[in-house]
């Protein structure tokens, strides 16, 4: 140990050794020095203390000394300096109250809980009370006589380390509290743009810097390459919002963020931070900030915590955005869907804008055939091409939506949204993968200025007009009128009433006998569905059968009628009429149902009816559609033993070559041709040709609608073997049929 320097017993005693200690520099403080405030009236003590610690470094940072010779000067210094680490306060017995009052001021008035206070006295053996030390958080007490240089260094080092730990804890606590508040604010935001803007603002606040950064999302381009797009930005990057990051002058930012995304980590530079957000739903987001300085370790830790919270928020906002897009936008074209269009119409109807506006629904004619022929992928490209043309060619300031598979909605003013302008878009072919495809469309329109109600009613009315236009003439158009609405409401009301009638057993099956024209003996009957209302009135099948087909109720009704007919036929056979047959009409909707054949087989099995005594009647138009599929289905039906009749024969345009390929057993002459056989001007030409055709094809023939003996006589003369009509019997209930069959003829 080297020689010591001493002036008197009460003086400070220091070693003349220079002390230098290095640390790990883990402090979260932003200052480059440790500030030490020396308070006392003895100038020599100030000089000696400064001299003793002048060459000392603690945690790789030197000490900087502040001096105050009175309590008032100390107050002024503390008011100006916010980062004093240690206070060396000289206090004597007669100055105890003044010294403790200063400590009280530091702790309770300035609320400087982090600064470490060391009391020094020149009177050996004197110490303040334990209560005072605890109350005022006095960190150490030393007699000047015992403060060698080493002891002074040890005391100051311990105080500074304690100060650093407290500051680190306080910074972490304050930062975490700020993160919690910021995360709560961000979670309340609904859109990605709002969330990203909030992230830029909150990170700048957390780091104590001016907002100077950008927030990007990585998206895949059509060429399968990835590119970053700026969602939010502030400071010098403010003009980049909604632009690709590649447009920035400093290409290193794009490269750095791309690297951060690729390596899935944050990258920190001396004056910037590039942040990557983890998690499956947020892994394509990144942010860049100009910090202007290296971040401290505590800032880095807080930033990592904040980024984790942001990742959770991004996952949530991404999920919400995906759900929103799924709910309101078409996944293929990215256009508004039906739900979103309805909202837009509602807004338009409630706005004060008096400009006339029109809603048009555009249906591509025969798109299903094109889609099936060329493939669904080609069909999707075709729909995209139609969407693009409608958006780009009809004009600005209109809304184009996709409301269904091949149906688009267009909302705008009357000038832009008019039939001529819309249909003109389909005059030129659409080029898809080098192939030109010519399309046509049908349009239904509604003028919102004439519309009363909400968006859902406007869309419904446009659909009504579209259906009417398609029914009347494809490639045409119709505007909705109130009469259309009345008609459709009547159909809807009847549809509900029909379902109720079916459930409450107000529907019944009646049977009209079929007669051998030569012997006038019954050979079978046709099962007919009837609807009797509660007041006893009858509703014509011509009214309710089309509605049953339209609503799909015909599937349940048809199965019920078939089972009723099979059960009735079993009862008739038990009465002794074992050759009796029953015919059941089958609608086109039933016939095309994928489970029709299975339903037929189950009905035959469950009722144990002889299949060869059941006949299914299909219309001539049904027999001519989709010939290959029909031939296969008819073969499967006849394999069950059930026979097939073509109803209303002669009203369609049958191909004889096609007719020969069908598994058909009987032709039914339509009542219109039976009626005209007594007309001298036209004669029996059509009925005669059908009878001759049946004979040539070895098919049975039955004439329906026979109402008088003259018609029966002519049909018999022409060789028609069977007849059905009011001349022989009207439709009757099952019980009435039993009596009729048993009565002598």
């Amino acid at each position: 140990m080297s020689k010591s320097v001493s002036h008197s017993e009460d003086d400070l005693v220091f070693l003349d050794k220079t002390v230098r200690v290095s640390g790990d520099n883990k402090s979260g403080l932003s200052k480059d020095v440790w500030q030490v405030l020396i308070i006392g009236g003895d100038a020599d003590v100030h000089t000696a203390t400064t001299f003793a610690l002048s060459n000392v470094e603690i945690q790789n940072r030197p000490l900087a000394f502040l001096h105050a010779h009175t309590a008032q000067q100390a107050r002024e210094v503390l008011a100006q300096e916010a980062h004093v680490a240690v206070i060396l306060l000289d206090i004597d017995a007669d100055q105890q109250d003044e010294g403790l009052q200063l400590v009280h001021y530091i702790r309770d008035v300035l609320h400087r809980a982090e600064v470490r206070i060391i009391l020094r006295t020149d009177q050996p053996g004197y110490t303040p009370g334990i209560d005072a030390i605890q109350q005022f958080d006095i960190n150490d007490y030393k007699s000047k006589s015992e403060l060698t240089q080493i002891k002074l260094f040890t005391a100051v080092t311990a105080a500074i380390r304690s100060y650093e730990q407290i500051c680190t804890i306080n910074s972490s606590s304050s930062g975490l509290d700020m993160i919690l508040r910021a995360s709560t604010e961000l979670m309340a935001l609904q859109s990605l743009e709002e969330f990203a803007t909030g992230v830029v603002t909150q990170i700048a606040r957390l780091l104590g810097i001016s907002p100077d950064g950008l927030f990007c999302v990585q998206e895949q381009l059509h060429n399968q390459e990835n590119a970053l797009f700026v969602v939010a930005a502030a400071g010098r990057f403010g003009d980049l919002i909604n632009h690709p990051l590649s447009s920035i002058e400093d290409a290193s930012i794009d490269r750095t963020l791309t690297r951060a995304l690729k390596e899935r980590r944050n990258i920190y530079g001396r004056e910037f931070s590039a942040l990557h957000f983890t998690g499956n739903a947020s892994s394509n987001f990144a942010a860049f900030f100009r910090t202007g300085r290296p971040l401290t370790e505590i800032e880095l830790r807080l930033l990592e915590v904040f980024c984790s919270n942001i990742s959770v928020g991004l996952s949530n906002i991404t999920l919400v955005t995906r759900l929103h897009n799924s709910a309101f936008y078409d996944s293929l074209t990215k256009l508004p869907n039906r739900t979103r269009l309805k909202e837009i119409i509602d807004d338009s109807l409630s706005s004060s804008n008096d400009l006339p506006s029109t809603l048009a629904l555009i249906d591509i004619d025969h798109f299903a055939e094109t889609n099936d022929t060329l493939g669904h992928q080609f069909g999707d490209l075709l729909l995209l091409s139609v969407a693009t043309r409608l958006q780009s060619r009809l004009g600005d300031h209109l809304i184009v939506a996709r409301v269904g598979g091949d149906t688009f909605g267009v909302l705008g003013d009357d000038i832009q949204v008019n039939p001529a302008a819309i249909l003109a878009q389909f005059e030129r072919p659409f080029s898809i993968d080098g192939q030109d495809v010519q399309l046509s469309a049908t349009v239904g329109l509604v003028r919102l200025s004439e519309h009363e109600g909400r968006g859902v009613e406007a869309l419904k009315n446009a659909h009504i007009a579209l259906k009417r236009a398609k029914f009347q003439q494809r490639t045409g158009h119709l505007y909705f009128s109130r009469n259309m609405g009345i008609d459709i409401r009547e159909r809807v009301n009847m549809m509900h009433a029909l379902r109720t009638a079916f459930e409450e057993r107000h529907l019944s099956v009646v049977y009209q006998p079929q007669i051998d024209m030569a012997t006038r003996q019954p050979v079978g009957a046709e099962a007919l569905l009837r609807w009797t209302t509660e007041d006893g009135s009858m509703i014509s099948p011509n009214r309710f059968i089309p509605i049953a087909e339209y609503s799909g109720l015909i599937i349940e009704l048809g199965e019920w009628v078939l089972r009723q007919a099979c059960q009735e036929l079993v009862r008739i056979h038990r009465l002794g009429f074992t050759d009796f047959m029953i015919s059941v009409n089958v609608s086109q909707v039933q016939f095309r149902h994928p489970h029709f054949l299975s339903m037929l087989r189950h009905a035959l099995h469950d009722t144990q009816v002889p299949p060869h005594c059941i006949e299914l009647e299909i219309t001539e138009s049904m027999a001519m559609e989709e010939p290959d599929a029909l031939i296969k289905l008819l073969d499967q039906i006849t394999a069950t033993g059930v026979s097939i009749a073509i109803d209303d024969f002669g009203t369609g345009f049958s191909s004889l070559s096609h007719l020969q390929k069908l598994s058909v057993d009987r032709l039914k002459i339509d009542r219109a041709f039976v009626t005209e056989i007594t007309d001298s001007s036209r004669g029996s030409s059509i009925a005669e040709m059908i009878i001759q055709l049946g004979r040539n094809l070895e098919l049975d023939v039955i004439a329906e609608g026979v109402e008088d003996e003259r018609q029966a006589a002519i049909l018999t003369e022409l060789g028609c073997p069977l007849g059905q009509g009011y001349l022989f019997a009207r439709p009757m209930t099952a019980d009435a049929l039993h009596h009729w069959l048993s009565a002598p003829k």
Side-chain angles (χ1 to χ4, degrees):
M1 183 177 291
S2 60
K3 181 181 177 180
S4 64
V5 179
S6 177
H7 298 284
S8 70
E9 184 178 342
D10 294 332
D11 288 341
L12 289 172
V13 179
F14 300 119
L15 299 175
D16 60 358
K17 178 181 178 183
T18 298
V19 180
R20 181 181 181 89
V21 179
S22 63
D24 55 8
N25 194 27
K26 290 186 178 180
S27 172
L29 303 177
S30 58
K31 292 291 183 179
D32 296 327
V33 297
W34 301 112
Q35 290 184 333
V36 178
L37 174 59
I38 305 171
I39 305 173
D42 190 339
D44 290 339
V45 173
H46 285 256
T47 301
T49 303
T50 303
F51 175 77
L53 299 175
S54 60
N55 293 323
V56 170
E57 284 191 5
I58 301 174
Q59 304 286 66
N60 288 333
R61 291 160 65 179
L63 305 181
F65 298 98
L66 304 171
H67 300 275
H69 298 280
T70 66
Q72 179 59 36
Q73 288 180 355
R75 288 184 174 91
E76 293 172 356
V77 171
L78 290 169
Q80 296 177 356
E81 299 293 338
H83 297 287
V84 174
V86 179
I87 294 176
L88 296 173
L89 175 59
D90 293 343
I91 186 172
D92 297 322
D94 56 351
Q95 299 173 323
Q96 178 180 353
D97 290 342
E98 182 181 358
L100 292 180
Q101 286 177 4
L102 179 60
V103 174
H104 164 72
Y105 176 79
I106 294 170
R107 297 300 193 207
D108 297 336
V109 178
L110 297 182
H111 301 290
R112 300 281 283 274
E114 72 283 355
V115 63
R116 302 294 86 197
I117 300 175
I118 299 174
L119 298 185
R120 301 187 299 182
T121 180
D122 56 2
Q123 296 185 13
Y126 169 75
T127 60
I130 294 176
D131 292 342
I133 292 175
Q134 292 178 338
Q135 177 183 356
F136 297 114
D137 188 21
I138 296 172
N139 308 108
D140 204 352
Y141 176 81
K142 298 291 183 182
S143 171
K144 294 177 184 177
S145 61
E146 63 179 337
L147 278 178
T148 63
Q149 185 181 26
I150 291 296
K151 289 183 178 180
L152 179 62
F153 161 74
T154 301
V156 171
T157 299
I160 285 177
R161 285 177 173 170
S162 177
Y163 168 78
E164 181 187 29
Q165 290 174 352
I166 293 173
C167 288
T168 299
I169 292 172
N170 289 344
S171 296
S172 298
S173 177
S174 175
L176 290 173
D177 185 58
M178 184 181 296
I179 289 173
L180 181 61
R181 292 196 306 270
S183 299
T184 302
E185 293 177 14
L186 289 173
M187 294 305 176
L189 302 178
Q190 298 297 316
S191 70
L192 177 60
E193 291 74 14
E194 291 177 339
F195 190 91
T197 301
V199 169
V200 172
T201 302
Q202 296 292 358
I203 288 182
R205 185 181 302 169
L206 179 67
L207 299 178
I209 60 177
S210 299
D212 190 15
L214 49 84
F215 190 100
C216 299
V217 58
Q218 188 177 56
E219 295 182 355
Q220 192 173 73
L221 304 178
H222 292 300
N223 58 7
Q224 305 302 311
E225 293 185 0
N226 292 325
L228 286 166
F229 290 86
V230 180
V231 180
R236 75 190 74 179
F237 305 108
D239 295 336
L240 290 175
I241 297 178
N242 296 327
H243 286 76
L245 187 57
S246 57
S247 62
I248 194 172
E249 292 183 2
D250 188 352
S252 64
I253 296 178
D254 192 357
R255 290 195 300 269
T256 302
L257 285 181
T258 302
R259 177 185 164 198
L261 285 168
K262 182 179 180 180
E263 298 178 4
R264 303 179 66 82
R265 67 181 182 90
N266 296 339
I267 298 175
Y268 301 108
R270 289 191 58 81
E271 296 186 349
F272 73 87
S273 294
L275 308 177
H276 161 261
F277 302 102
T278 59
N280 292 334
S282 57
S283 57
N284 60 338
F285 294 99
F288 181 90
F289 290 89
R290 290 288 185 190
T291 59
R293 58 174 173 79
L295 299 182
T296 64
E297 182 168 342
I298 189 65
E299 287 175 327
L300 293 175
R301 291 177 180 176
L302 289 173
L303 199 54
E304 294 285 347
V305 173
F306 190 47
C307 286
S308 297
N309 283 15
I310 291 174
S311 295
V312 174
L314 279 173
S315 296
N316 293 337
I317 205 75
T318 301
L319 177 60
V320 170
T321 301
R322 187 182 300 119
L323 291 174
H324 178 271
N325 290 340
S326 298
F328 295 103
Y329 292 89
D330 174 55
S331 60
L332 174 65
T333 62
K334 310 305 179 187
L335 294 175
N337 61 11
R338 179 187 178 87
T339 303
R340 179 62 185 136
L341 180 60
K342 177 179 65 65
E343 291 184 343
I344 295 172
I345 297 171
D346 284 337
D347 294 340
S348 176
L349 290 171
S350 62
S351 70
S352 58
N353 190 347
D354 294 329
L355 288 176
S357 57
T358 298
L359 169 66
L361 291 185
I362 307 163
D363 185 83
I364 302 175
D365 298 330
H366 308 294
F367 180 77
E369 290 86 339
T370 302
N371 206 32
D372 292 341
T373 303
L374 300 177
H376 293 285
Q377 184 175 1
F378 188 92
D380 288 346
L381 294 175
L382 196 54
L383 290 172
L384 285 169
S385 184
V386 171
T388 301
R389 186 176 294 184
L390 292 175
Q391 284 182 295
S392 61
R393 300 297 178 85
L394 286 180
D396 299 328
H397 310 299
L398 56 72
I399 303 297
V400 178
R402 186 185 179 200
V403 300
D406 58 348
T407 303
F408 292 87
V410 178
L411 177 67
D413 62 55
D414 294 347
I415 297 176
Q416 293 175 309
V417 185
N418 68 84
I422 293 173
L423 294 175
Q425 306 310 314
F426 295 88
E427 293 177 354
R428 295 186 300 103
F430 294 84
S431 181
I432 308 296
D433 286 342
Q435 181 176 348
D436 287 345
V437 180
Q438 185 65 59
L439 297 177
S440 63
T442 306
V443 185
L445 306 98
V446 59
R447 294 184 177 92
L448 296 186
S449 58
E450 302 174 359
H451 172 74
E452 296 179 0
R454 298 175 57 81
V456 63
E457 286 85 11
L459 274 168
K460 181 183 70 176
N461 292 342
H463 269 293
I464 292 172
L466 176 61
K467 287 188 176 181
R468 286 290 184 92
K470 291 170 65 175
F471 179 77
Q472 292 183 8
Q473 178 187 3
R474 287 185 180 269
T475 72
H477 74 276
L478 272 181
Y479 279 90
F480 174 79
S481 67
R482 294 184 184 276
N483 290 336
M484 295 180 187
I486 294 173
D487 293 343
I488 199 68
R489 280 193 293 273
E490 289 181 350
R491 293 181 63 187
V492 170
N493 291 337
M494 180 170 284
M495 181 176 66
H496 291 304
L498 177 60
R499 183 171 291 277
T500 301
F502 181 45
E503 293 172 351
E504 296 181 356
R505 301 177 181 271
H506 293 308
L507 300 180
S508 60
V509 178
V510 296
Y511 303 89
Q512 185 172 30
Q514 297 173 336
I515 305 298
D516 184 311
M517 297 284 281
T519 65
R520 299 295 177 99
Q521 293 298 310
V523 295
E526 180 181 3
L528 302 169
L529 183 62
R530 291 292 183 262
W531 179 7
T532 305
T533 62
E534 292 183 353
D535 60 7
S537 60
M538 302 288 295
I539 297 179
S540 170
N542 292 335
R543 291 185 60 195
F544 72 79
I545 292 297
I547 291 176
E549 292 179 329
Y550 176 79
S551 65
L553 183 59
I554 194 66
I555 303 300
E556 297 176 65
L557 282 176
E559 181 177 1
W560 179 74
V561 170
L562 176 62
R563 286 181 174 270
Q564 290 288 309
C566 290
Q567 291 168 1
E568 176 57 27
L569 185 58
V570 171
R571 286 192 289 268
I572 291 174
H573 282 190
R574 288 174 182 168
L575 293 176
F577 302 94
T578 55
D579 293 330
F580 199 83
M581 295 183 62
I582 288 185
S583 299
V584 180
N585 290 282
V586 179
S587 78
Q588 189 170 21
V589 176
Q590 287 176 270
F591 212 56
R592 288 186 171 182
H593 195 274
H595 300 303
F596 174 76
L597 188 62
S598 174
M599 181 275 295
L600 173 64
R601 288 170 175 161
H602 281 103
L604 297 174
H605 176 270
D606 294 344
T607 60
Q608 293 297 301
V609 69
H612 68 277
C613 292
I614 292 292
E615 181 179 72
L616 301 182
E617 294 186 9
I618 64 174
T619 63
E620 185 178 6
S621 58
M622 290 168 57
M624 294 302 109
E625 289 189 359
E626 301 181 14
D628 294 337
L630 181 69
I631 291 172
K632 180 179 179 181
L633 179 58
L634 291 181
D635 287 342
Q636 291 173 319
I637 291 174
T638 55
T640 66
V642 172
S643 57
I644 302 292
I646 297 182
D647 195 14
D648 302 332
F649 190 78
T651 59
F653 301 93
S654 299
S655 165
L656 295 182
S657 60
H658 175 51
L659 189 60
Q660 285 181 303
K661 299 176 183 178
L662 300 179
S663 298
V664 175
D665 302 283
R666 181 181 295 181
L667 302 179
K668 292 192 73 173
I669 304 174
D670 186 77
R671 65 178 62 248
F673 304 130
V674 172
T675 301
E676 72 175 12
I677 62 175
T678 56
D679 186 346
S680 58
S681 63
R682 299 191 62 181
S684 57
S685 56
I686 297 180
E688 183 178 5
M689 285 189 292
I690 295 174
I691 295 169
Q692 184 61 44
L693 178 63
R695 187 180 297 116
N696 293 340
L697 296 178
E698 297 182 350
L699 301 176
D700 285 340
V701 177
I702 181 171
E704 59 181 350
V706 182
E707 297 185 354
D708 56 49
E709 287 290 352
R710 187 180 175 192
Q711 293 172 346
I714 296 174
L715 289 168
T716 302
E717 183 180 346
L718 293 174
C720 181
L722 304 172
Q724 173 183 341
Y726 286 178
L727 172 63
F728 311 114
R730 291 177 176 270
M732 59 190 75
T733 65
D735 290 340
L737 178 61
H738 296 173
H739 291 298
W740 185 85
L741 288 173
S742 301
K745 301 295 187 288

